[in-house]
Amino acid sequence: PPHVLRLANEFLTDPVTLSLSSDHVHVTEVAHIRVLVPSMDKDRALVKLIETDNPASAIVFCNRKTTVEYVTTILKRFGFQADFLSGDLPQHKREKVLNRARDGKIRFLVATDVAARGIDINQLSHVYQYDVPDDQEAYIHRAGRTGRAGASGTAITLHDTVGTIDLNKIEKLYSIQLEPRPLPTDEEVAEIAGRRARVLL
């Protein structure tokens, strides 16, 4: 993260950066999507995308612990099985949440980057980035949680007009194309949900 780099440059002489992500920065089977959303409407936009995509399981990444807790509450209120991971959780609670996610008892795991390092959950079809990451390399770590072991996956990033600039930099830095996608309307969400309900019936 930028603040760590600043601290390193303050105390170290000629430090060298070693990045373990530079050789293989993204999985080719991952679809990278960007959705332009006003910052005040992100919570409802996330729910619309989830209702439209109907992922088997997903991780929702946020930049702050308070946002993680807020998004988890929103998802639960809409009836989704969700729980969160943050750096403040004791190790035994983090393991408990992770085990529930791996066992399929949690459909949506909401997490910060700190809590999500090294997480490996099978059959993870989607990654939603509720916030554009503060650190550009974090985008690759987040998107890399899906599309593992040859499976396809989808990484969707919600962004406002300011976040557009950051995503353009990420595209250029890693030579990836984030496909713009319009936010589905209420009518489109209702139609897709109704069609799904009819198939289940």
Side-chain angles (χ1 to χ4, degrees):
H3 67 278
V4 175
L5 291 175
R6 285 193 297 273
L7 191 65
N9 287 324
E10 184 178 336
F11 289 100
L12 301 176
T13 305
D14 298 325
V16 176
T17 301
L18 173 65
S19 174
L20 300 181
S21 302
S22 58
D23 290 335
H24 185 66
V25 297
H26 66 96
V27 182
T28 55
E29 297 299 322
V30 174
H32 299 273
I33 296 169
R34 61 199 298 172
V35 181
L36 182 62
V37 178
S39 56
M40 297 300 293
D41 296 335
K42 283 204 298 185
D43 48 6
R44 180 62 188 139
L46 175 65
V47 172
K48 281 184 176 183
L49 291 169
I50 287 172
E51 289 175 339
T52 303
D53 296 339
N54 193 31
S57 63
I59 294 181
V60 181
F61 282 102
C62 306
N63 290 349
R64 308 280 177 269
K65 178 198 166 208
T66 51
T67 313
V68 163
E69 294 173 356
Y70 170 74
V71 170
T72 305
T73 301
I74 292 295
L75 292 178
K76 285 181 176 179
R77 284 183 181 168
F78 275 89
F80 297 113
Q81 298 166 313
D83 209 337
F84 71 90
L85 283 178
S86 70
D88 291 350
L89 276 182
Q91 185 64 31
H92 71 281
K93 287 189 177 178
R94 290 171 68 174
E95 287 298 326
K96 187 175 180 181
V97 172
L98 275 174
N99 287 336
R100 289 178 63 212
R102 290 185 182 118
D103 293 342
K105 295 175 182 173
I106 299 171
R107 188 174 168 201
F108 297 99
L109 186 62
V110 187
T112 59
D113 290 313
V114 172
R117 293 283 173 156
I119 287 179
D120 193 9
I121 300 173
N122 292 331
Q123 309 302 322
L124 196 68
S125 62
H126 286 65
V127 165
Y128 294 94
Q129 303 196 53
Y130 189 81
D131 299 311
V132 176
D134 294 329
D135 173 29
Q136 292 175 343
E137 193 169 313
Y139 177 88
I140 299 304
H141 289 291
R142 292 176 175 189
R145 297 301 97 203
T146 185
R148 301 172 79 79
S152 61
T154 305
I156 300 175
T157 304
L158 303 177
H159 67 98
D160 56 14
T161 50
V162 175
T164 302
I165 298 168
D166 296 326
L167 286 179
N168 290 343
K169 290 177 182 176
I170 289 170
E171 283 185 317
K172 187 175 181 181
L173 180 63
Y174 294 112
S175 300
I176 56 177
Q177 183 69 42
L178 277 79
E179 176 191 342
R181 174 173 158 187
L183 185 67
T185 64
D186 290 337
E187 292 76 17
E188 289 170 334
V189 172
E191 182 185 342
I192 290 168
R195 199 182 314 141
R196 190 180 303 127
R198 287 192 295 274
V199 169
L200 289 173
L201 288 173

